[in-house]
Amino acid sequence: MQNTAASTPTHCPYCALQCGMNLAPAEGGGVQVLERADFPVNRGALCGKGRTAPAVLDRTARLTEPLVRGADGELTPASWEEALDRVAGALLRTRAEHGADAVGVFGGGGLTNEKAYTLGKFARVALGTSQIDYNGRFCMSSAAAAGTKAFGVDRGLPFPLEDVPRTGCVILVGSNPAETMPPSLRYFTELRDNGGTLIVIDPRRTRTAEQADLHLAPRPGTDLALALGLLHLVVAEGRTDEEYIAERTTGWEEARAAAMAHWPEYVERITGVPVPQLREAVRMFCEPEAAMVLTARGPEQQSKGTDTVGAWINLCLATGRPGRPYSGYGCLTGQGNGQGGREHGQKADQLPGYRKLDDPEARRHVAGVWGVDPDSLPGPGRSAYELLDALGTDIRTLLLMGSNPVVSAPRAAHVEERIRSLDFLAVADVVLSETAALADVVLPVTQWAEETGTTTNLEGRVLLRRQALTPPAGVRGDLYVMRELAARLGVEKGFSDSPEEVFEELRRASAGGLADYSGITYRRLAQENGVFWPAPERIDGGRGDGDGGLGDGRGSGDGGDGGSAPHPGTPRLFLDRFAHPDGRARFVPVVHRASAEEPDEEYPLLLTTGRVVSQYQSGAQTRRVAELNAAAPGPFVELHPRLAKRLGVVEGDRLAVVSRRGRAVAPARVTGAIRPDTVFMPFHWYGEGRVNTLTNPALDPVSRMPEFKTCAVRVERA
Ligand code: SF4
């Protein structure tokens, strides 16, 4: 590795906070992470994952040459020509023998905007397949679906994080930032220092919940009932904002009637949260002038995740929060480019700019940018789990980039078996993940500090990650991989391996869409600390002060002749209007329903899953970092002392957690911080402790999100 600059301002490779950091030459080669105080989101603070990120650049941790599976079944080094020829041959063969939709493409929420955009284009233009989706479907798709229904657009946070300390109360639902994104915790500390209050809703008393003014611990899978119970009390106590409801929303009567069926005592029976705590939460949320609800994976990763998030949005709308200063609803996106990754076309139903694949006008616009016939673009394909479930049957060859579904998908043993049954698997990755180890061809690609690209953080802030190192000689970029494969498929033009060139095309493709990037350039990103979308190319008669509602100041993005100044970006959405054509937000009536799997005699407990501070997602990268591995060496089963006593279990005993889909083994961790009817396991590991062996792939009917957060299990000594 050679350093290409003395000190390079960039961003962390991991979570959606996208903390700013500087990379400087390290003694003995490579780079070291230095504080970057000028980036406002983290102001120099980093968690252990960010601090140790350069460890994954090390040759010993990562792939440095292509691998192909030989006749003996082993992966052996090969040239790039041979590896790419083998992948292209398999893609062509499958397409010729079984049709274009027999080729699948699976992406990741960690891919840069340029890669996600190109992957969607590669699938639809070079391969002609509709079968593309990505692991972000497992992350925040329910919040995206609910936000789109209610507001007409999904941007994780419609306001910057700096608004959090200025509000009066935050309800944090199913989120544990103390472990998932520690530098963000200061926003909640400052909120409380300013006199505001924090309510945390989580079945576990997490490190975040310990800092709350009020912690509600509902049974897993009952957040929907909880939100409805709170809305019932808001109505019963006369705390609705009738003027706001009349002026800025539609659908209140139906949503109100649905909520009124959820009496507090009924909600207490479902959730286990006592009525006085419900009343206290309502008081704390309604009394301040400004308040927010922020959700994360807890309410979202359920087979009713869209309705659950919808119920929390209804609570916000009924109390007049969204579109008011320092108020509203937001989703804390998880993956590094979870926001940008869902905007530019690697999702089964989407085209760049958050356009819909089944919208004729969207197809016409994007096909025009791509220089193809709109009718040649395939329609929407399967969602992530459905795509994985079809491997080896309808889908015979898979190209996978930046994802490790063998660890991260629900019902993972089944998914692994499906992957093993493929005719051909090609994986482009940085490390030999558990999924890459099953591939016929592994393509070693550049990562983070070795390449330039943009990401969009959880606030909708588009950021530039800069290259700080030259990559190892045997490694190429994902964009190079797609360009070379497209050429071998007979598509010689339209694929570039220059990130800036790709971004220039993405700007045009997104112009006029909901997620409009046409006013954002690499030059601008290099000078500013990110630009919030929508950022049309010009202020086109709108206010253009960066605080307007979506739609204000949205230019055509094509001409550049409509105004006098570049658009400054839009930190705050909805202040004037929501993104529906009439400018109003929508209440969506929802009612409580049970989870797909409830406890019974055979499986009497609930399992919920989550993360620990020193590992990231499937652990493919962080498990290769010695310091992180020492801090979090393996999975565990968290259970309450009363349950432990009943089972005759003590701390450290090996436990088998068994669901209808399989069994996972890990040591017991006995703690009073969890409900007695629930056990918890983190999901970062493969092998006997892989918790996703147990999880339920029951899908939300709208978002197609699997029910990671709750399933029925029994626990026995292993
Ligand atoms: Fe990286 Fe997230 Fe940690 Fe920040 S909080 S250093 S973005 S992993």
Side-chain angles (χ1 to χ4, degrees):
M1 285 185 292
Q2 286 180 341
N3 303 309
T4 58
S7 179
T8 307
T10 189
H11 297 272
C12 176
Y14 295 118
C15 84
L17 206 55
Q18 285 295 283
C19 292
M21 57 170 62
N22 282 315
L23 294 180
E27 259 181 54
V31 287
Q32 58 179 321
V33 171
L34 298 179
E35 183 181 299
R36 180 182 167 193
D38 71 319
F39 185 62
V41 174
N42 62 309
R43 291 189 214 148
L46 296 170
C47 77
K49 297 186 286 283
R51 263 191 306 102
T52 59
V56 187
L57 298 165
D58 191 88
R59 289 186 150 272
T60 57
R62 51 92 56 84
L63 293 162
T64 55
E65 53 193 351
L67 302 172
V68 300
R69 198 168 295 282
D72 61 356
E74 298 298 316
L75 284 171
T76 52
S79 69
W80 269 95
E81 287 299 306
E82 182 190 350
L84 288 167
D85 285 348
R86 284 193 46 174
V87 177
L91 296 171
L92 286 165
R93 203 164 43 246
T94 298
R95 199 167 64 175
E97 291 174 5
H98 304 284
D101 276 358
V103 176
V105 176
F106 200 86
L111 299 179
T112 60
N113 291 321
E114 293 80 358
K115 295 179 186 184
Y117 169 83
T118 304
L119 194 62
K121 180 179 176 183
F122 177 79
R124 290 162 184 131
V125 175
L127 291 170
T129 181
S130 67
Q131 300 302 304
I132 174 170
D133 210 51
Y134 79 125
N135 64 18
R137 178 79 68 171
F138 298 158
C139 183
M140 53 354 91
S141 54
S142 295
T148 301
K149 276 189 184 190
F151 306 125
V153 66
D154 149 51
R155 196 182 84 185
L157 292 179
F159 40 73
L161 275 168
E162 69 186 41
D163 283 6
V164 170
R166 294 147 96 174
T167 193
C169 175
V170 173
I171 303 182
L172 204 48
V173 191
S175 175
N176 183 13
E179 302 248 11
T180 56
M181 41 182 73
S184 71
L185 215 56
R186 77 169 165 85
Y187 292 102
F188 303 102
T189 307
E190 286 172 20
L191 162 77
R192 298 185 68 217
D193 290 347
N194 292 345
T197 55
L198 176 64
I199 302 172
V200 170
I201 296 176
D202 198 305
R204 303 164 62 219
R205 188 165 181 81
T206 60
R207 289 189 206 172
T208 309
E210 278 170 5
Q211 304 193 23
D213 298 280
L214 179 64
H215 171 214
L216 310 183
R219 242 172 121 252
T222 64
D223 313 73
L224 174 52
L226 185 66
L228 285 160
L230 296 181
L231 182 53
H232 178 112
L233 284 169
V234 164
V235 176
E237 294 177 9
R239 295 182 186 269
T240 53
D241 186 333
E242 297 297 330
E243 200 178 317
Y244 173 97
I245 291 170
E247 283 178 7
R248 301 207 57 185
T249 72
T250 64
W252 170 230
E253 279 314 312
E254 295 81 357
R256 179 183 181 281
M260 294 319 283
H262 296 74
W263 290 89
E265 294 75 13
Y266 171 56
V267 169
E268 178 179 326
R269 279 202 303 281
I270 297 169
T271 62
V273 177
V275 172
Q277 285 190 3
L278 298 175
R279 290 193 189 282
E280 179 62 1
V282 166
R283 185 194 65 74
M284 287 166 66
F285 185 67
C286 291
E287 283 186 353
E289 197 173 324
M292 294 175 179
V293 172
L294 304 177
T295 67
R297 305 303 81 75
E300 296 164 19
Q301 289 179 325
Q302 299 185 27
S303 60
K304 51 181 181 291
T306 304
D307 282 359
T308 302
V309 175
W312 287 106
I313 292 175
N314 285 349
L315 178 72
C316 290
L317 290 172
T319 49
R321 305 306 191 183
R324 288 222 170 116
Y326 317 123
S327 282
Y329 162 77
C331 151
L332 296 170
T333 297
Q335 292 195 82
N337 195 28
Q339 180 68 51
R342 69 196 200 236
E343 295 164 0
H344 298 298
Q346 65 175 329
K347 206 170 169 202
D349 57 349
Q350 280 184 355
L351 288 170
Y354 240 142
R355 289 182 162 88
K356 299 292 280 183
L357 198 47
D358 57 6
D359 172 359
E361 179 52 31
R363 294 169 69 90
R364 188 201 60 75
H365 172 81
V366 174
V369 175
W370 289 351
V372 300
D373 180 350
D375 292 338
S376 72
L377 297 176
R382 291 177 172 87
S383 74
Y385 179 76
E386 293 165 295
L387 189 156
L388 294 170
D389 193 35
L391 300 182
T393 53
D394 292 352
I395 298 173
R396 315 298 293 258
T397 288
L398 182 71
L399 172 65
L400 188 141
M401 274 189 176
S403 186
N404 189 15
V406 161
V407 176
S408 63
R411 198 186 172 197
H414 171 73
V415 167
E416 181 173 343
E417 184 260 317
R418 291 289 83 219
I419 288 174
R420 287 179 186 275
S421 73
L422 280 163
D423 294 349
F424 191 91
L425 172 66
V427 173
D429 210 332
V430 173
V431 296
L432 192 67
S433 70
E434 288 78 8
T435 308
L438 303 178
D440 297 283
V441 173
V442 182
L443 302 168
V445 289
T446 51
Q447 54 176 319
W448 173 56
E450 298 165 347
E451 59 184 15
T452 294
T454 62
T455 60
T456 305
N457 83 346
L458 77 177
E459 306 168 288
R461 190 194 297 249
V462 185
L463 303 164
L464 184 63
R465 277 199 204 150
R466 296 170 174 89
Q467 182 178 3
L469 291 168
T470 51
V475 168
R476 304 279 187 276
D478 290 293
L479 297 177
Y480 170 88
V481 168
M482 288 183 271
R483 189 193 72 183
E484 291 298 310
L485 289 177
R488 284 165 171 78
L489 293 167
V491 183
E492 299 281 350
K493 289 189 179 160
F495 290 90
S496 168
D497 65 350
S498 156
E500 188 164 4
E501 272 179 33
V502 173
F503 191 79
E504 286 299 306
E505 187 182 301
L506 182 158
R507 290 177 60 205
R508 287 189 287 124
S510 74
L514 286 169
D516 189 334
Y517 283 37
S518 60
I520 306 173
T521 62
Y522 269 33
R523 173 188 264 197
R524 194 171 164 188
L525 292 176
Q527 292 165 351
E528 300 177 30
N529 266 327
V531 179
F532 292 83
W533 69 257
E537 193 159 13
R538 296 276 163 192
I539 296 173
D540 192 18
R543 266 167 42 178
D545 61 3
D547 282 340
L550 192 77
D552 285 357
R554 189 187 297 166
S556 71
D558 288 324
D561 59 352
S564 58
H567 193 286
T570 315
R572 296 176 181 84
L573 300 172
F574 312 143
L575 291 184
D576 296 332
R577 64 193 304 277
F578 296 98
H580 287 300
D582 62 3
R584 289 167 175 259
R586 306 275 186 271
F587 281 98
V588 178
V590 292
V591 293
H592 169 71
R593 60 180 187 274
S595 299
E597 207 172 72
E598 292 287 345
D600 56 18
E601 260 183 43
E602 200 178 350
Y603 301 99
L605 297 167
L606 289 164
L607 168 72
T608 194
T609 68
R611 291 180 266 174
V612 297
V613 67
S614 294
Q615 298 287 353
Y616 179 68
Q617 306 293 45
S618 81
Q621 291 146 289
T622 49
R623 280 187 274 122
R624 287 171 166 81
V625 179
E627 185 181 328
L628 300 177
N629 248 352
F636 54 86
V637 183
E638 204 173 270
L639 75 169
H640 192 274
R642 285 217 300 274
L643 176 60
K645 191 173 174 198
R646 209 170 77 219
L647 296 170
V649 165
V650 296
E651 179 85 9
D653 280 355
R654 272 167 58 81
L655 298 182
V657 182
V658 185
S659 81
R660 287 180 175 83
R661 290 152 293 280
R663 155 191 166 104
V665 176
R669 190 175 284 184
V670 181
T671 168
I674 190 166
R675 294 173 55 94
D677 57 5
T678 301
V679 294
F680 166 84
M681 288 183 74
F683 69 85
H684 312 287
W685 289 273
Y686 184 65
E688 67 171 10
R690 175 176 66 183
V691 70
N692 275 323
T693 301
L694 311 174
T695 49
N696 190 351
L699 300 180
D700 179 281
V702 180
S703 68
R704 316 306 284 168
M705 166 75 89
E707 189 148 76
F708 287 99
K709 282 298 176 190
T710 177
C711 70
V713 295
R714 66 171 179 270
V715 176
E716 46 199 41
R717 294 167 72 97

